[in-house]
Amino acid sequence: MRHVIWDWNGTLVDDLPVVVAAVNTSLAELGYPPIDADGYRNHYTRPVRVFYNRLLGREVTDAEWARIDATFHGAYEAGLHQIELSSGAFDAVSAIHHAGATQSILSMWWHDSLVPEVERRGLTRFMLRVDGNLGNKGDTKTGTLQRHLDALGRVGSVVMIGDSLDDATAAAATGVSCILYDGGSHHLAAMKQAGVPIATTLAEASSIALAAR
């Protein structure tokens, strides 16, 4: 049986405008100029602290990182009402469900914030699990993916659909197939370096996932 693990931010939900706005709020807190979506995609990486090192052109201090983290999440939470499901997301999830495959969601966003948002958008009923970050700010996608897989148990052939190079790295490290969706964190040229299938729509991503061996 096929099992599809969905990323949340930038994949099932189109939150890039809110993310960029929240980043700019945190940059302004430190007296730095704003970036645009291209600037975000040009610099984005994980760990997120390294992303801010790139934006500032220097190492972020511990005190600055604490301010950035608090400011970003406050601004992001304030913008939740602006965030919609990505185009075709509900249909893609429904298609996988009706094809007889199982699904789950794995995100690096805070678990207690993620769960009600997934429910609010009507996707919980399709998912075996919905897992977010339980509070470890230094956690990696590889670590959270491995714990997610352990919790799922034996679910058959697993494919992960995400929007970042971090998703591809985590999938490779845990022996999971990966499809990248060209709709979030990176420019297409950067995504091609991952050496995994790239979908321009979520409908295409779901079709590739169902056809994967």
Side-chain angles (χ1 to χ4, degrees), residues 196-212:
V196 301
I198 298 172
T200 57
T201 67
L202 291 180
E204 182 184 6
S206 63
S207 295
I208 296 172
L210 290 171

Side-chain angles (χ1 to χ4, degrees), residues 8-208:
W8 182 249
N9 306 92
T11 303
L12 286 177
V13 291
D14 180 16
D15 64 347
L16 185 62
V18 174
V19 168
V20 173
V23 167
N24 285 336
T25 300
S26 62
L27 289 174
E29 182 80 6
L30 300 181
Y32 281 76
I35 61 171
D36 58 13
D38 276 343
Y40 179 88
R41 291 188 173 105
N42 287 336
H43 293 89
Y44 181 74
T45 190
R46 280 192 171 275
V48 176
R49 185 164 176 168
V50 176
F51 166 63
Y52 279 94
N53 290 345
R54 292 180 175 183
L55 291 179
L56 271 58
R58 61 172 177 81
E59 294 286 328
V60 174
T61 68
D62 290 345
E64 287 173 330
W65 177 238
R67 289 173 64 191
I68 288 169
D69 186 65
T71 302
F72 173 87
H73 284 98
Y76 183 86
E77 297 274 351
L80 280 178
H81 66 283
Q82 303 174 41
I83 298 172
E84 302 289 343
L85 284 175
S86 296
S87 177
F90 191 90
D91 289 343
V93 168
S94 297
I96 290 174
H97 173 73
H98 289 301
T102 55
Q103 301 174 84
S104 57
I105 291 173
L106 177 66
S107 174
M108 295 300 291
W109 190 30
W110 304 128
H111 182 79
D112 289 346
S113 298
L114 171 68
V115 171
E117 288 301 307
V118 175
E119 175 65 29
R120 185 166 72 87
R121 289 165 171 79
L123 297 181
T124 304
R125 61 193 175 95
F126 296 111
M127 305 298 162
L128 293 183
R129 292 187 65 84
V130 175
D131 287 333
N133 192 319
L134 293 174
N136 183 357
K137 295 179 181 179
D139 211 350
T140 65
K141 192 65 174 275
T142 299
T144 56
L145 176 55
Q146 186 59 64
R147 287 190 292 275
H148 186 72
L149 292 168
D150 291 343
L152 285 170
R154 299 180 64 87
V155 289
S157 176
V158 180
V159 181
M160 184 174 184
I161 301 175
D163 73 304
S164 76
L165 295 175
D166 195 40
D167 293 315
T169 298
T174 54
V176 170
S177 298
C178 184
I179 300 161
L180 289 180
Y181 165 58
D182 182 20
S185 300
H186 302 287
H187 288 298
L188 181 59
M191 295 172 69
K192 288 180 177 178
Q193 298 174 17
V196 301
I198 298 172
T200 57
T201 67
L202 291 180
E204 182 184 6
S206 63
S207 295
I208 296 172

